[in-house]
Amino acid sequence: MIDFSVAIRLYNGALVLPRILEALKAQVISDSINWEVIIVDNNSVDGTVDIVREYQQTWTLCPLRYVLETRQGASFARNRAILEARGTWIGFLDDDNIPASTWVQAAYEFGCAHPQAAAFGGQIHPNYEMTPPANFERIAPFIPVVERDETICFTTGWRAMSNLVPPGAGLVILRQVWLEYVPYPLRLRGPVGDALHLKGEDVEALLYLKKAGWEIWFNPLMHIEHQIPGWRFERRYLLRFFHGIGLSKYVTRMVCITPWKRPLWVLLFMANDSRKLLLHLVKHYRHLHRDVVSAAELQLLISSLLSPFYTWQKSLSGNRETLAARFQPTNDRKPKNDLTKQSTALSNCLNSNK
């Protein structure tokens, strides 16, 4: 029986994977804990599999397994890891997360001490490639950077009334509970390659666990180091990043709300978003062009306000495609990739005849 599975989700992570595996080799773990490492390759093209095969030849600590998930998207990779894992608990590491030497031990002990916990996160310490922009601390939790010393339960007190949950980086989950209460597929797929417009899948999933009555915690004894490259401070990236977070707000906000109450809550959320947007403009409009943090916050507010319309538009588009496919003659239903190949072949033929 496996007690704890470490799941590493990667997309083109050949350069960073060795550092993560070396950190796992240095784990200080009790001999009584049976653990494994699973690497979920989200369709990489940079030789990630070769790095894994090289480590598998000399790896003796625990099972080191490789899984290829060809459907790109963070939620697809996470779900594949959950299905493949054999551990009671699963701890997730992204390709820019380096665990401290006590991370696995601290996670397993916390899980055993909190049997009603379905998920918990830990401290996320930044390793900046360059100095962050001014006022970066205002948006650091989204990156994420989380540094606090107190143990927190997100499902009791005032936090139970909010959608506050730990970030997905370094998240530990109780596998069987996740399989029972988190629907699949989620509405939010998470980042797909370099695309950022469907972020928030980890928040959506955790809110389903909260809705089911399970506890969600923050464990300050778990530590990971988050590698943050300089390009993540660029204005263009931050605006795209917060645009994606904002567009996911409608989905995450509606998870715990009874369907018949949702129209009223949408209006209330939009009114509050509008109020925040106006206050932000009044306070920061003079330096939005030079203050990237204020610009990122503005983008988050705008996209949050627009998130219901974005989600409804996506739903309507999906319904139209489903109806069109349903009423299409069977003989005309060709896979999209076949049609693409035929189109490419025809184009090549036409070009060759020019």
Side-chain angles (χ1 to χ4, degrees):
M1 177 180 175
I2 301 295
D3 300 309
F4 196 91
S5 298
V6 177
I8 306 170
R9 300 179 300 168
L10 288 171
Y11 173 69
N12 288 343
L15 294 178
V16 296
L17 180 58
R19 187 173 178 188
I20 302 174
L21 292 177
E22 290 298 325
L24 290 174
K25 286 174 66 175
Q27 291 293 299
V28 179
I29 303 178
S30 170
D31 293 336
S32 62
I33 300 177
N34 294 319
W35 64 302
E36 66 175 354
V37 177
I38 304 172
I39 297 171
V40 181
D41 181 355
N42 203 190
N43 214 22
S44 301
V45 294
D46 67 342
T48 293
V49 62
D50 297 328
I51 301 296
V52 178
R53 300 302 183 212
E54 181 180 338
Y55 268 87
Q56 284 177 326
Q57 293 177 8
T58 58
W59 189 274
T60 59
L61 287 174
C62 62
L64 176 61
R65 300 161 53 201
Y66 171 86
V67 177
L68 176 64
E69 176 52 68
T70 57
R71 296 171 299 172
Q72 285 194 304
S75 65
F76 290 133
R78 187 190 298 274
N79 186 70
R80 183 65 182 275
I82 294 170
L83 294 176
E84 295 285 343
R86 297 188 290 240
T88 303
W89 293 93
I90 306 174
F92 289 98
L93 294 173
D94 294 332
D95 57 10
D96 53 6
N97 300 159
I98 309 299
S101 61
T102 58
W103 184 73
V104 172
Q105 183 75 32
Y108 182 72
E109 289 179 352
F110 190 89
C112 292
H114 297 80
Q116 292 302 311
F120 50 89
Q123 299 207 51
I124 305 174
H125 307 287
N127 183 3
Y128 298 123
E129 183 182 52
M130 59 183 293
T131 303
N135 303 313
F136 184 73
E137 67 278 0
R138 300 206 313 248
I139 61 173
F142 292 96
I143 298 303
V145 173
V146 182
E147 296 180 300
R148 55 183 14 153
D149 294 326
E150 68 271 28
T151 302
I152 295 172
C153 182
F154 291 95
T155 48
T156 59
W158 66 268
R159 292 184 179 87
M161 305 300 294
S162 71
N163 283 349
L164 289 175
V165 291
L171 183 71
V172 179
I173 67 165
L174 189 56
R175 179 178 182 271
Q176 191 56 44
V177 172
W178 184 287
L179 289 173
E180 289 182 16
Y181 292 104
V182 177
Y184 184 79
L186 292 167
R187 296 187 69 179
L188 300 173
R189 291 170 54 191
V192 180
D194 296 326
L196 299 172
H197 62 284
L198 292 172
K199 289 186 64 62
E201 82 291 347
D202 47 354
V203 177
E204 182 187 3
L206 291 176
L207 290 176
Y208 278 110
L209 296 178
K210 177 181 176 181
K211 182 180 180 181
W214 287 86
E215 295 176 356
I216 300 172
W217 287 80
F218 173 83
N219 175 16
L221 298 181
M222 290 164 47
H223 300 266
I224 63 172
E225 183 182 276
H226 186 187
Q227 312 299 304
I228 304 178
W231 55 263
R232 294 196 68 180
F233 302 141
E234 294 176 0
R235 185 185 186 93
R236 181 178 179 183
Y237 171 82
L238 286 173
L239 293 183
R240 289 176 55 235
F241 180 81
F242 281 97
H243 177 60
I245 294 176
L247 291 181
S248 72
K249 286 291 187 179
Y250 174 80
V251 172
T252 56
R253 284 168 169 173
M254 295 298 114
V255 169
C256 295
I257 296 178
T258 306
W260 69 269
K261 295 180 180 178
R262 288 176 182 173
L264 174 61
W265 276 102
V266 168
L267 294 176
L268 292 175
F269 280 126
M270 292 183 67
N272 193 42
D273 288 338
S274 299
R275 179 186 64 84
K276 290 180 178 179
L277 179 60
L278 290 174
L279 289 176
H280 187 81
L281 285 172
V282 169
K283 186 175 181 180
H284 299 288
Y285 78 96
R286 291 184 178 179
H287 50 267
L288 284 172
H289 65 286
R290 64 177 184 274
D291 184 353
V292 67
V293 170
S294 295
E297 291 172 327
L298 177 63
Q299 182 64 71
L300 175 62
L301 292 170
I302 293 173
S303 298
S304 298
L305 179 61
L306 297 177
S307 64
F309 306 103
Y310 172 80
T311 305
W312 297 336
Q313 188 270 333
K314 295 287 288 186
S315 298
L316 289 173
S317 298
N319 291 337
R320 290 195 192 101
E321 291 178 2
T322 301
L323 288 172
R326 184 177 299 173
F327 291 103
Q328 186 178 8
T330 303
N331 293 337
D332 292 340
R333 294 180 187 174
K334 297 183 180 291
K336 288 186 177 181
N337 58 341
D338 289 345
L339 293 174
T340 301
K341 291 177 181 177
Q342 293 175 10
S343 176
T344 302
L346 178 59
S347 177
N348 291 338
C349 180
L350 291 172
N351 290 334
S352 64
N353 291 332
K354 287 184 179 180

